[in-house]
Amino acid sequence: MSRPKRYWMMKSEPDAFSIDDLERVGTEPWSGVRNYQARNFMRDGMRPGDGVMIYHSNCKVPGLAGLARVASIAYPDETQFDRGSHYFDQKATREQPRWFLVDVAFDRKLTRVIPLQEIKRHTDELGEGFALTARGSRLSVFPVTAAQWKLLLSFE
């Protein structure tokens, strides 16, 4: 018996990699995540076919920009081994990698970016602890419930 589909939100800075970039390339390794909790979500929780909301952060109008899906199981992030990479980790080894990623495949751009300010007006409906509206949350990858997914898409 297969497990139910899960849903996730993944933040990206659009000047580094945007939903337009994902549309152009089709599928991309989601590399460079250097937060243990976010890494654990990718490594232990994500499975091919899971839904992904792409959230643009650190930009003029942060917000939900598009939808994607998890396209692979987790595997070691090669940037941790590359001495020339900003994401190099001297403690990581091929025998014991520290950082993992999944491939993400483009599904569609939203009809409009749903701004964070609009999302925050629905904090109570989204529930306590929803990482995007929780104070101090800096996670770049986090789970979204099916109800939160449906609610967020209703704003489109």
Side-chain angles (χ1 to χ4, degrees):
M1 185 174 177
S2 64
R3 71 164 177 82
K5 182 175 183 174
R6 291 183 182 166
Y7 300 96
W8 307 91
M9 189 167 297
M10 300 176 94
K11 291 182 183 178
S12 178
E13 296 180 8
D15 62 342
F17 193 81
S18 70
I19 191 68
D20 293 324
D21 296 319
L22 185 58
E23 181 179 30
R24 183 177 40 76
V25 300
T27 302
E28 181 74 6
W30 209 260
S31 64
V33 172
R34 295 298 184 265
N35 171 284
Y36 288 108
Q37 189 174 8
R39 183 236 18 221
N40 293 349
F41 287 141
M42 288 195 297
R43 185 190 66 195
D44 304 332
M46 290 184 169
R47 296 293 176 265
D50 284 356
V52 175
M53 290 183 155
I54 303 295
Y55 178 86
H56 285 171
S57 67
N58 199 20
C59 55
K60 187 175 181 178
V61 180
L64 292 178
L67 301 179
R69 68 190 173 285
V70 176
S72 74
I73 59 169
Y75 60 95
D77 181 341
E78 284 297 313
T79 63
Q80 69 190 307
F81 308 121
D82 178 359
R83 290 189 178 279
S85 172
H86 173 72
Y87 299 108
F88 173 70
D89 185 332
Q90 64 184 7
K91 294 181 181 178
T93 66
R94 294 212 178 266
E95 296 75 28
Q96 291 195 321
R98 294 175 66 161
W99 305 107
F100 289 78
L101 59 78
V102 295
D103 293 341
V104 176
F106 176 82
D107 275 344
R108 71 178 177 90
K109 289 168 53 172
L110 298 182
T111 56
R112 68 183 183 95
V113 171
I114 302 168
L116 177 60
Q117 291 293 53
E118 183 177 340
I119 294 167
K120 284 183 173 183
R121 291 197 299 264
H122 300 274
T123 298
D124 289 343
E125 293 167 83
L126 288 164
E128 188 177 324
F130 179 64
L132 194 58
T133 56
R135 290 189 88 87
S137 176
R138 306 239 338 122
L139 281 177
S140 59
V141 176
F142 56 88
V144 175
T145 68
Q148 290 165 338
W149 179 275
K150 185 176 179 180
L151 177 64
L152 290 165
L153 288 181
S154 75
F155 305 154
E156 188 178 12

